[in-house]
Amino acid sequence: MAVFRSGLLVLTTPLASLAPRLSPILTSAARLVNHTLYVHLQPGMSLGGPAQPQSSLVQATFEVLDFIAHLYAGADVHRHLDVRILLTNIGAKSASLPSLPSSVQNLAHPPEVVLTDFQTLDGSQYNPVKQQLERYATSCYSCCPQLASVLLYPDYGSGELPVESLDVPLPSTIRPASPVARSPKQPVRGYHRGAVGGTFDRLHNAHKVLLSVACILAQEQLVVGVADKDLLKSKLLPELLQPYAERVEHLSEFLVDVKPSLTFDIIPLLDPYGPAGSNPSLEFLVVSEETYRGGMAVNRFRLENDLEELALYQIQLLKDQNHKDNEEDKVSSSSFRQRMLGNLLRPPYKRPELPTHLYVVGLTGISGSGKSSVAQRLKGLGAYVIDSDQLGHRAYAPGGPAYQPVVEAFGTDILHKDGIINRKVLGSRVFGNKKQLKILTDIMWPVIAKLAREEMDQAMAEGKHVCVIDAALLLEAGWQNMVHEVWTVVIPETEAIRRIVARDGLSEAAAQSRLQSQMSGQQLVDQSHVVLSTLWEPHVTQRQVEKAWALLQKRIPQAP
């Protein structure tokens, strides 16, 4: 059967009966659609009658919100799918019920196929039903001209479900901060304007639950705060966060797709309160279990500034059924970033001037990142490791290729009595002096690069296929020109300082000064092909390195 890039799933079964069947329905849909799956809820609609079915308003109840959360949670096992539940026909309780759009809604990825859970009597791909389905889909949404249609029943099955499972209510995932007990059939109140905030890195299904609830509650405007700058510093692996503009682009596309009738105000969130703390026109704030205390703090801040409290709606976290031992047990962008470690992030460099049968990796990282320990792990897996520090020592040694030029440039007072260059004295001469440092690096970097090329020849002679250049200043020196890939080891700056103090006996201020003289982890990652981290236990680092090595072996035959 053909596979489509985008599809529209029209769900017609009443929600209480649909929930237990949702997993097999999504599995069936995931076999047919490989990128974007739009979901349209129209419980109780029949496609079997003579009359053309019309879209009708679905009253937003807590059962509907719980179902939306349940659907996104179930979709999380199909990580290749970008699932988007369309909310145009779902209305919250308000003074005037929203009217359905009179025109066809445009979608960012027009569906190529429309699917449904509607059951024909004999379970066949009954043509009149498919025609009704196609007409219904095109009357509501912009679809591809050659729209295909598939009736998923009986592929997702029906007989295996126990009858009693149909009466079990969905778990409550949305809690209004109110003393009134909510019930599944209780209508959800609508508001004119509200807010929601987050980092929204690599927009995932837990984000989509948060945003969908906010979209249903808001009737006119939704303010979306997107964390930026100082609020990102405490994030895990912040170097791998998508840039602000990219996060906003994905967020905006999702929001306009699911509820185009709303006005969206997407703004950078630069402090914990954001617009929710100061905008008098806002009426509600959607938070997660984790950010609920932050929501309470926002309300205290508003009261202190003579503003009315916001109605808080708390969303339960989605559980991640496939998390690893060092990952959070919730669906989280942090876990997604962890899973990027060891992956190829951009195409390798073409280096026809390098030895034909040798693949060269440049390994770098800030001081204290654990770069050298990663180099040793790669050596254990079969790589030939070139230590640039050792090459520097060879170059500085009496008779070495850099010895005489350095002595001529900096004078004999940098020498020990035995004629060996005193690297501490030389270091103090160039530290903080850009002009002197440039004189030194103009001598040293070309010499070390030449020695590294000689080491590559040695690696070839030993029959090695992968060569790793371990160099803290790989990018500063321009040595990316002699590697196929740059691999960077990252670590939070606070952890790097702790390690430098413990390892080298420096003060915290001296360790900080050392880091400030280097490229930041972010600058290194921006030019890297593979990122690793030694933040966790040694066995986690080993697993990352083994993953990166295995993926490298797969691409070496196709390497330039």
Side-chain angles (χ1 to χ4, degrees):
M1 188 173 283
V3 176
F4 303 88
R5 182 169 172 77
S6 59
L8 172 66
L9 173 60
V10 178
L11 295 175
T12 64
T13 306
L15 299 189
S17 303
L18 179 58
R21 295 195 173 103
L22 197 53
S23 178
I25 288 171
L26 288 173
T27 299
S28 297
R31 294 193 194 107
L32 297 168
V33 179
N34 62 12
H35 189 268
T36 307
L37 180 66
Y38 292 105
V39 179
H40 173 84
L41 298 180
Q42 198 66 79
M45 183 176 73
S46 173
L47 295 168
Q52 171 64 37
Q54 302 294 317
S55 180
S56 59
L57 189 72
V58 176
Q59 173 73 64
T61 61
F62 282 102
E63 179 187 42
V64 170
L65 297 191
D66 289 337
F67 180 82
I68 288 170
H70 179 64
L71 193 152
Y72 276 125
D76 206 56
V77 298
H78 306 291
R79 292 219 165 122
H80 67 287
L81 271 187
D82 176 3
V83 174
R84 304 181 184 188
I85 302 173
L86 301 168
L87 307 174
T88 305
N89 66 322
I90 299 175
K93 183 180 180 182
S94 60
S96 58
L97 282 173
S99 58
L100 291 170
S102 55
S103 58
V104 172
Q105 179 182 331
N106 290 319
L107 298 172
H109 308 278
E112 300 168 3
V113 62
V114 56
L115 319 165
T116 187
D117 62 336
F118 183 78
Q119 299 181 13
T120 54
L121 292 175
D122 58 358
S124 65
Q125 293 290 314
Y126 192 47
N127 231 22
V129 172
K130 293 179 70 175
Q131 289 171 0
Q132 290 275 48
L133 176 64
E134 290 166 23
R135 282 198 290 268
Y136 178 75
T138 53
S139 72
C140 297
Y141 304 105
S142 61
C143 299
C144 287
Q146 302 299 318
L147 182 67
S149 57
V150 178
L151 308 181
L152 295 179
Y153 182 83
D155 184 44
Y156 63 81
S158 61
E160 71 273 15
L161 293 168
V163 173
E164 60 269 19
S165 72
L166 302 183
D167 299 318
V168 177
L170 288 168
S172 300
T173 54
I174 290 87
R175 297 193 183 96
S178 164
V180 180
R182 50 148 277 179
S183 64
K185 302 297 183 184
Q186 180 183 333
V188 175
R189 178 190 164 182
Y191 302 83
H192 294 293
R193 298 172 193 86
V196 64
T199 308
F200 301 115
D201 181 48
R202 291 171 175 81
L203 198 66
H204 54 63
N205 289 326
H207 291 144
K208 292 174 184 178
V209 175
L210 205 71
L211 293 165
S212 296
V213 171
C215 283
I216 288 173
L217 295 173
Q219 307 299 298
E220 296 175 14
Q221 181 189 31
L222 182 64
V223 177
V224 186
V226 180
D228 198 22
K229 297 185 179 174
D230 286 353
L231 291 188
L232 302 179
K233 289 181 178 178
S234 63
K235 299 293 180 185
L236 183 68
L237 301 170
E239 301 90 350
L240 292 174
L241 280 163
Q242 291 173 316
Y244 175 82
E246 189 176 340
R247 286 181 282 136
V248 167
E249 181 185 353
H250 294 161
L251 184 61
S252 179
E253 182 186 289
F254 173 81
L255 291 170
V256 172
D257 256 355
V258 300
K259 195 168 180 181
S261 61
L262 276 184
T263 298
F264 297 107
D265 189 8
I266 302 177
I267 60 173
L269 199 55
L270 303 175
D271 65 77
Y273 299 119
S278 57
N279 188 332
S281 71
L282 298 180
E283 299 166 278
F284 73 85
L285 177 64
V286 176
V287 295
S288 70
E289 285 179 87
E290 283 185 329
T291 58
Y292 181 73
R293 286 187 178 182
M296 298 287 282
V298 164
N299 271 340
R300 286 195 297 272
F301 185 76
R302 287 178 69 91
L303 289 174
E304 288 166 7
N305 290 277
D306 299 320
L307 295 175
E308 286 190 19
E309 286 186 296
L310 301 175
L312 294 182
Y313 285 81
Q314 178 186 342
I315 313 298
Q316 269 191 333
L317 300 170
L318 293 192
K319 295 298 181 184
D320 184 348
Q321 306 300 330
N322 301 311
H323 71 94
K324 293 192 171 70
D325 55 1
N326 62 308
E327 296 175 348
E328 296 177 299
D329 64 353
K330 60 168 186 170
V331 176
S332 147
S333 299
S334 299
S335 297
F336 289 4
R337 292 194 295 276
Q338 281 179 258
R339 290 165 195 161
M340 291 171 65
L341 296 172
N343 290 350
L344 185 69
L345 303 180
R346 51 180 55 86
Y349 296 130
K350 295 181 186 296
R351 297 286 185 238
E353 70 277 12
L354 292 179
T356 310
H357 300 295
L358 189 66
Y359 200 80
V360 185
V361 169
L363 180 66
T364 191
I366 64 171
S367 184
S369 64
K371 167 181 58 64
S372 296
S373 71
V374 169
Q376 288 309 303
R377 293 178 189 280
L378 289 167
K379 184 177 181 180
L381 292 169
Y384 185 97
V385 175
I386 300 172
D387 186 333
S388 65
D389 279 348
Q390 289 183 5
L391 296 185
H393 284 294
R394 275 169 51 189
Y396 276 123
Y403 181 83
Q404 199 57 41
V406 169
V407 172
E408 288 174 3
F410 293 94
T412 55
D413 57 337
I414 65 166
L415 300 176
H416 285 290
K417 289 179 182 179
D418 57 5
I420 294 173
I421 291 174
N422 186 330
R423 293 182 70 174
K424 281 192 176 179
V425 172
L426 179 59
S428 65
R429 187 80 62 83
V430 302
F431 189 78
N433 187 324
K434 290 185 178 179
K435 184 178 178 183
Q436 291 291 300
L437 181 61
K438 187 174 188 311
I439 291 171
L440 180 61
T441 56
D442 282 352
I443 295 169
M444 293 300 299
W445 286 349
V447 168
I448 294 174
K450 184 173 184 295
L451 292 174
R453 289 180 183 275
E454 292 172 4
E455 286 286 317
M456 289 184 206
D457 293 337
Q458 180 60 33
M460 291 281 290
E462 293 183 17
K464 295 290 187 178
H465 299 292
V466 176
C467 177
V468 174
I469 301 176
D470 175 1
L473 300 177
L474 183 90
L475 298 179
E476 290 94 328
W479 295 338
Q480 66 267 42
N481 293 329
M482 57 182 189
V483 303
H484 294 98
E485 298 178 18
V486 175
W487 290 18
T488 292
V489 184
V490 296
I491 200 81
E493 189 175 290
T494 51
E495 175 65 12
I497 290 171
R498 188 193 68 77
R499 292 181 183 184
I500 294 168
V501 169
R503 182 189 67 194
D504 300 340
L506 298 180
S507 66
E508 285 194 9
Q512 178 85 45
S513 181
R514 179 186 292 184
L515 291 176
Q516 286 176 347
S517 70
Q518 302 173 353
M519 290 177 74
S520 68
Q522 186 67 63
Q523 289 171 313
L524 297 175
V525 167
D526 287 345
Q527 300 181 59
S528 297
H529 299 83
V530 173
V531 176
L532 302 163
S533 179
T534 60
L535 182 58
W536 299 277
E537 294 84 357
H539 76 273
V540 177
T541 303
Q542 182 66 24
R543 193 165 63 207
Q544 279 178 42
V545 173
E546 288 174 357
K547 171 188 170 183
W549 180 260
L551 292 172
L552 176 65
Q553 301 311 303
K554 290 179 181 177
R555 60 183 178 265
I556 284 178
Q558 292 82 38

